[in-house]
Amino acid sequence: MVTPRALEHEFETQDLMINMGPQHPSTHGVFRMVLTIDGEVVRDVVPYVGYMHRGAEKLCETMDYRQGIGYMDRTEYLANFNAELSYVMAVEKLLDIDVPERAQWIRMILCELNRISSHFMFTGAFGTDVGVFGTAFTYSFIQREIVQDLFEEITGDRLMYAYFRPGGLAWEVTDNFVARVHEVLADMRQGVIDIDGLLTHNEIFVARTKGVGYISGQDAIDYGMSGPALRASGVDLDIRKAEPYLYYDQIDFDVPLGEHGDVYDRFVLRVEEIRQSIRIVEQCIERLQPGPIQPERMPRMLRTPPGEVYIRTEAPRGEYGIYLVSKGGNRPYRLKIRSACLSNLQALKHMTVGQYVADAVIVLGSIDIVLCEVDR
Amino acid sequence: MRGIAKSMLTTLSAFTRRPVTREYPERHRPIPERDRAFPILLWDQGIDEPFCTGCHACERACPVECMTVLMKDNPRHTSQGGNSSRRKIIDKFWIDYGRCMRCNICVEVCNFDAIAMNNTWQGHELSVYDRSDLVMDLPQLLSQHRQGNLKEWVAE
Ligand code: SF4
Ligand code: SF4
């Protein structure tokens, strides 16, 4: 095989700047990067973000705590429950209220199911990036739709759930919730088998992704990466284990780690995370007891005491943090969203320089960015 | 090679499975009773007037400020010789569906259970050619429930 290095010595070439995005089908949203290429080899990458900036943080400062929940959904539209969770947990910590046990378990189940659906979305979209056009995408979309049907039955909306509330949940889950979750899990197990068959062990897929977009564990930490993209480089940091929130400390699950820090590892790791999430949901369902889903006495209008909190949770893409400053009153004084995708995106240049142009697409895909979360 | 063969086999196995898609405009998926399309106003069939008293609670709570509410004295109040116990009643009501983020907050804050999220297919199929057609006025907001095609669902 002719390596990029060998080509470099053989021909005299001139660097060329090309623009990729913001309307490129493989940029997963409105994202633009300017590539400096030397033949087929990427020499430099300059990412431009902000096309989707809506000022969600500032908007939330103008509205009360319940109204802000809807905006959290819109920052992270593939893992809405995880985004809502960080926000309501931050408000709960400021208010110092105890959330009923049942509400916490349901939150855990929904968050893990959301992780599953988000990772399925990733496997499909990533398959398309790699070149398995359509097939993997439709297979994983079937699974995602199944999860979404469940969410719709519970919350009433397919995408923007607005279901978590400070203190608990907006309303009770459906009567057949447990049975439905079991059904969904059965489908998810089949889905993992499908994805494994379609991609994970497929030689073409492996050849395309192995060794591409390498980043070492130390570099990943330096760039502030988190989530599966960090763990693929072998760094054992999962907030569910490191700083357990909800009831993750009572649940038995493994945190898969990668060895090579390449694109293939990031893919395999997410597929493994789906399996672990299925395990978590199974255990949560067993412990789900009837009970209240809101504290006994909740004021109609939430007023927080002055103070500041930082809450971080493990969203499918990494650490989703909410930094909330209150000066009293019913709305945040300052709200800052620590977006996992934005930090992960910083490492794009590190991973892409020296690779082929075609690999830039799959490296970007392997970070699994949601541009709405990057730009907020 | 084994991996590729297995991959092909996975694709082939799809022939044995049930189809998961529907031919949408012809066939509609049944939607759950909690489905949230857009907010609509409810009609008090007993007294034959809207439930809404025009109290502005929903208007103030709406995160995107897409509602406009105007109230008036109820001409059918008992003091006026009518049969209604509502002293005030809704005069004009607009909701801009183009701005509504379907957050359910207006339904939660209403003390009179006068507003609900449309949970029928009519609530979803609202394509228009002009954005201003998405601003719904009082008769449009009331018509769905007045005709009785709404599945009742009230969150505890
Ligand atoms: S819908 Fe309810 S909250 Fe809104 S104005 Fe009417 S009565 Fe008041
Ligand atoms: S659903 Fe939300 S955005 Fe829509 S009208 Fe009601 S409060 Fe406003």
Side-chain angles (χ1 to χ4, degrees):
Chain A
M1 200 177 113
V2 189
T3 60
R5 289 257 163 257
L7 279 173
E8 193 179 312
H9 295 297
E10 222 163 286
F11 301 104
E12 197 64 30
T13 52
Q14 205 178 11
D15 285 358
L16 178 73
M17 275 172 90
I18 56 166
N19 193 28
M20 196 173 145
Q23 311 290 0
H24 195 278
S26 69
T27 51
H28 297 254
V30 202
F31 173 66
R32 172 175 166 225
M33 47 184 175
V34 176
L35 302 165
T36 308
I37 53 169
D38 175 9
E40 280 283 301
V41 184
V42 178
R43 289 272 172 258
D44 193 17
V45 187
V46 185
Y48 289 89
V49 296
Y51 288 93
M52 299 258 261
H53 180 68
R54 291 141 297 154
E57 296 170 353
K58 211 70 201 162
L59 270 171
C60 287
E61 288 162 23
T62 65
M63 46 189 65
D64 68 42
Y65 290 113
R66 180 168 53 182
Q67 292 174 333
I69 296 167
Y71 281 90
M72 291 302 119
D73 283 330
R74 281 154 181 82
T75 59
E76 165 69 297
Y77 59 80
L78 290 181
N80 317 45
F81 279 130
N82 293 276
E84 281 176 33
L85 180 70
S86 293
Y87 181 74
V88 295
M89 274 170 59
V91 180
E92 279 157 11
K93 192 160 179 198
L94 268 180
L95 285 168
D96 197 19
I97 43 178
D98 290 326
V99 183
E101 234 176 76
R102 181 177 169 83
Q104 297 278 49
W105 285 115
I106 293 175
R107 278 181 184 182
M108 255 172 93
I109 294 169
L110 294 178
C111 282
E112 287 306 319
L113 285 174
N114 215 173
R115 189 185 314 278
I116 295 173
S117 79
S118 169
H119 281 349
F120 266 119
M121 176 77 194
F122 162 78
T123 53
F126 184 64
T128 311
D129 287 344
V130 173
V132 196
F133 185 75
T135 314
F137 199 69
T138 41
Y139 276 80
S140 39
F141 243 73
I142 294 171
Q143 309 306 326
R144 180 164 177 263
E145 283 299 302
I146 289 168
V147 180
Q148 226 131 42
D149 281 345
L150 175 68
F151 289 165
E152 191 190 13
E153 280 164 32
I154 297 164
T155 69
D157 208 307
R158 295 186 75 73
L159 216 51
M160 304 301 165
Y161 312 121
Y163 181 56
F164 293 173
R165 293 284 186 275
L169 306 171
W171 48 77
E172 192 38 279
V173 291
T174 45
D175 296 336
N176 58 357
F177 178 64
V178 175
R180 284 286 289 131
V181 172
H182 281 303
E183 262 176 56
V184 169
L185 287 185
D187 283 324
M188 293 305 118
R189 284 188 208 101
Q190 179 59 41
V192 177
I193 296 170
D194 281 351
I195 290 294
D196 268 349
L198 275 174
L199 296 178
T200 316
H201 307 303
N202 188 325
E203 282 91 355
I204 304 173
F205 178 79
V206 176
R208 180 82 177 79
T209 51
K210 264 239 158 88
V212 174
Y214 168 77
I215 188 164
S216 72
Q218 188 55 46
D219 284 337
I221 293 173
D222 291 347
Y223 276 109
M225 291 172 80
S226 54
L230 173 70
R231 291 194 287 276
S233 298
V235 183
D236 188 3
L237 177 72
D238 187 319
I239 297 160
R240 290 174 294 174
K241 285 272 191 210
E243 279 176 26
Y245 53 97
L246 298 181
Y247 295 132
Y248 279 110
D249 45 352
Q250 302 178 24
I251 293 289
D252 178 32
F253 68 101
D254 301 325
V255 179
L257 292 179
E259 285 166 26
H260 311 293
D262 59 3
V263 166
Y264 182 70
D265 269 14
R266 276 172 228 140
F267 174 83
V268 174
L269 192 131
R270 287 195 173 94
V271 177
E272 182 56 34
E273 277 199 4
I274 297 176
R275 286 201 196 90
Q276 295 301 329
S277 289
I278 293 173
R279 257 178 84 191
I280 296 173
V281 177
E282 279 168 351
Q283 295 173 45
C284 293
I285 276 288
E286 273 166 29
R287 298 178 194 210
L288 191 64
Q289 299 292 338
I293 51 154
Q294 278 277 354
E296 291 272 295
R297 254 176 302 150
M298 279 295 279
R300 290 207 73 166
M301 179 62 86
L302 296 171
R303 287 177 197 284
T304 49
E308 51 189 87
V309 286
Y310 180 70
I311 289 283
R312 56 179 192 161
T313 58
E314 182 73 29
R317 278 161 205 81
E319 175 182 336
Y320 191 94
I322 294 282
Y323 178 58
L324 188 63
V325 184
S326 164
K327 295 219 164 172
N330 62 359
R331 52 192 63 179
Y333 174 74
R334 176 80 178 97
L335 181 85
K336 167 86 178 83
I337 300 167
R338 192 273 183 201
S339 149
C341 296
L342 181 64
S343 308
N344 290 355
L345 197 56
Q346 305 309 315
L348 180 69
K349 183 174 173 182
H350 185 99
M351 291 190 271
T352 323
V353 170
Q355 310 269 337
Y356 288 113
V357 183
D359 292 342
V361 173
I362 63 172
V363 170
L364 180 68
S366 75
I367 309 173
D368 190 15
I369 46 168
V370 166
L371 260 299
C372 264
E373 193 196 328
V374 174
D375 299 341
R376 308 196 281 289
Chain B
M1 266 328 272
R2 281 196 50 212
I4 298 172
K6 217 175 149 216
S7 179
M8 294 287 187
L9 213 66
T10 311
T11 323
L12 279 177
S13 75
F15 282 110
T16 63
R17 299 183 196 172
R18 275 185 302 128
V20 287
T21 49
R22 274 174 213 82
E23 284 162 27
Y24 159 60
E26 281 85 45
R27 298 186 53 196
H28 285 73
R29 185 175 66 95
I31 49 177
E33 59 179 4
R34 296 181 178 194
D35 188 79
R36 305 204 307 258
F38 283 99
I40 52 168
L41 293 175
L42 303 184
W43 186 261
D44 190 346
Q45 309 280 7
I47 308 179
D48 216 29
E49 66 178 18
F51 279 111
C52 176
T53 58
C55 69
H56 295 276
C58 55
E59 190 188 24
R60 277 198 297 267
C62 176
V64 291
E65 297 172 1
C66 66
M67 308 172 118
T68 312
V69 182
L70 293 173
M71 70 158 61
K72 66 175 180 194
D73 289 330
N74 190 357
R76 299 175 57 191
H77 186 243
T78 35
S79 65
Q80 309 285 324
N83 58 349
S84 167
S85 58
R86 292 182 188 89
R87 195 173 292 277
K88 300 282 185 189
I89 198 143
I90 187 73
D91 183 18
K92 296 200 170 74
F93 204 122
W94 291 277
I95 302 180
D96 185 352
Y97 281 1
R99 284 183 76 171
C100 172
M101 66 195 264
R102 297 150 71 218
C103 62
N104 204 47
I105 286 177
C106 49
V107 181
E108 279 167 41
V109 296
C110 182
N111 291 321
F112 302 92
D113 292 339
I115 191 166
M117 298 305 259
N118 195 344
N119 55 8
T120 62
W121 265 107
Q122 283 91 333
H124 288 282
E125 296 171 330
L126 288 168
S127 324
V128 290
Y129 284 107
D130 190 345
R131 212 182 272 187
S132 60
D133 292 345
L134 286 173
V135 182
M136 299 289 164
D137 58 14
L138 189 60
Q140 282 170 316
L141 289 169
L142 283 167
S143 68
Q144 281 285 314
H145 190 240
R146 201 171 176 183
Q147 291 158 11
N149 43 11
L150 196 69
K151 286 174 272 179
E152 295 285 344
W153 182 71
V154 183
E156 291 91 48

